[in-house]
Amino acid sequence: MPAYAAKRFAVALLVLFVVSVLTFTFTNVAVDPAIAIAGEGATDAQIERLRREYGFDRPLYVQYGEWLSGTLAGDFGTSIRQRRPVLTMLAEKFPVTATVGGLALILAFVVAVPLGMVAALRPNSWIDRFALGFAVVGMAMPTFWFGLVLIIVFGVTLHWLPVSGTGTAAHFVMPSIALSYYSIPIIMRLTRAGMIDVMASDYIRTARAKGLLPRTVLFKHALRNAVIPVVAVAAVQFGHLLAGSVVVESVFALHGIGYMAWEALHAADLPVIQAVVVVLAGFYILLVFLSDLLNAFLDPRIRIA
Amino acid sequence: MADPGFPPDTLGLVPMPSRRAVLSRRVFSHVGLLIGAGLIAVIVIMAIFAPVLAPYDPYAQDLSNRRIPPVWHAWINDHHKASWAHPFGTDRIGRDYLSRIIYGARISLLIGTLAMLISGTLGTALGVAAGYFGGRIDMFVNFLVTTRLSLPLILVCLVIVTLFGGSITTIILALGFLIWDRFAIVMRSVTLQIRNLDYVTVARANGCSSAYIIFREILPNVANALIVVATIEMAVAILLEAVLSFLGLGVKPPLPSWGLMIAEAKTDMFFDAWLIGIPGIALFVLILAINLVGDGLRDVTAPERRA
């Protein structure tokens, strides 16, 4: 196990390194940071001076090295537009994104796992068809549009929930619902498929033959095993939800890191953009690493192969 | 003697249905596949014949006819302006909504198809190479896939499109070079499954080159899986274009992208919900149709692998 973990960790670090190089290079090639800092109407001489002042005239790999050593020390640079440390801005906004993403994940599980289970126990019944239809609709519904529909129905027509902002807990209800529907189809389908496999397995037949209560068979034997692949996917889905929250954040005017990145893009605020991309990627890599470990822990065959 | 179940004079003479016949029977008895294919056919025809079908110029503004509600408002709440003159109404600067929806199908289909072709070529090449050659190539491709998956997709699309300019070409290229991961993963596992089958071994024993084996033995046999992934990725590309345009960083106005139409209608949506409803439903129907075709093709070509 330790050898397996060490290997996965090394790969994770390497991936993160490549992602950071890609992000840094691409953004610096596409935008001249000196022009972005100088803003509209700056003369060539001013831009040239800024370029030398900030060290943008040095080779890219030197700048990358400097950025990397700063980042490793927890310093993501200073926002061009807001002139504040990017780390402070991240620390301010990340809780909002994590709250929406976390709530969406919990909601997706609460809806999708029981639905997938029931659908698997009664294949081709009306509940199975309903679950399938629910998933098919969820996959075709654009998240941002679903969010707008929620706003019209529950915010404007029924006045049940606030339409935008982050003031109270009620503000997080609609964004989390909108975002969760993105993950529900995949989690539901996985649970259903896993459950059907497990219910057809020998050990369930044995458990039934022993005369165990159907309830015991279902919860102690079947569900535990069916849920393993789903739990592993949860980590990956959480990463997707955090990354995808830029869409709901803009629909509901939630000031999370997605919204911050979106604003930064309009101002070509490179340090902020780089930090958000690398932090989200790093988070995703960490989650995948943890889910790999969990999988290996639950299923010894993986860590030997 | 037990009854054999068929008249003795045809014993052994009942022809087996051909593979083609079996396949076509499966296709024509799959309701989801038929509905999906029908909807796609309608939308494709709409896109191709847009100049003929659209009642107005999609860019022509008519400031005296702004925000006319769609025709059904005349029936439901007797709106005096709603009429068949503008079946889907007009937007905030008086452009005919139906014409814009019809022309918008062109943008979605164009971006979806081309992005899918680029990512499909890239992902299939990587996946087949990884599955067929294995070893270091496999490790390298795995690493590429892991790296790509760790990039936050929507955000990176936004970054690329903003930094390199939001033309349709940039969007197609950005999406094409980002959404190849599923192609690579699926093609790799399918190739692994058939790499050691007898007919591939025979070809290798006969001295066929790797290129010949890949193009003549492997690719034709992974085509079914490839088509299923292609439908998924086309839907993903269309959705991403809509998201980019909705966030104001994709297709530029006045082009009638459905995502952009929703963004433009956002300020009016509290009063005229149909302004975001119509393009949203258009988007929903197109994605639904593509997914139905993809699911249907998977059921029809590999019924044993239905999830």
Side-chain angles (χ1 to χ4, degrees), chain A residues 220-284:
Chain A
K220 281 196 95 169
H221 293 74
L223 187 58
R224 271 196 188 176
N225 289 292
V227 135
I228 290 177
V230 183
V231 171
V233 156
V236 178
Q237 281 300 312
F238 188 48
H240 283 306
L241 290 175
L242 287 182
S245 104
V246 55
V247 178
V248 265
E249 283 175 25
S250 103
V251 170
F252 293 96
L254 289 175
H255 292 264
I257 59 170
Y259 195 79
M260 180 171 92
W262 184 68
E263 279 182 324
L265 275 170
H266 284 286
D269 198 340
L270 291 193
V272 177
I273 299 169
Q274 288 158 355
V276 174
V277 172
V278 170
V279 164
L280 282 176
F283 218 80
Y284 180 85

Side-chain angles (χ1 to χ4, degrees), chain B residues 182-231:
Chain B
R182 203 188 315 253
F183 281 105
I185 294 168
V186 174
M187 286 301 107
R188 173 181 175 273
S189 72
V190 189
T191 307
L192 271 177
Q193 279 167 23
I194 61 173
R195 179 178 66 170
N196 294 323
L197 292 185
D198 286 346
Y199 59 85
V200 178
T201 316
V202 168
R204 210 176 287 137
N206 280 343
C208 298
S209 66
S210 290
Y212 181 91
I213 295 175
I214 286 174
F215 282 101
R216 300 299 294 271
E217 308 285 352
I218 306 260
L219 280 182
N221 288 296
V222 297
N224 286 338
L226 184 59
I227 292 171
V228 173
V229 181
T231 59

Side-chain angles (χ1 to χ4, degrees), chain B residues 116-170:
Chain B
M116 179 263 285
L117 287 177
I118 295 174
S119 60
T121 313
L122 205 64
T124 308
L126 289 171
V128 170
Y132 183 76
F133 295 108
R136 291 196 175 180
I137 297 181
D138 190 21
M139 274 171 62
F140 177 68
V141 171
N142 258 330
F143 185 77
L144 281 186
V145 171
T146 317
T147 308
R148 155 54 203 97
L149 283 177
S150 64
L151 290 168
L153 183 59
I154 295 177
L155 198 57
V156 171
C157 278
L158 286 175
V159 172
I160 296 177
V161 171
T162 316
L163 301 186
F164 293 92
S167 69
I168 289 190
T169 321
T170 324

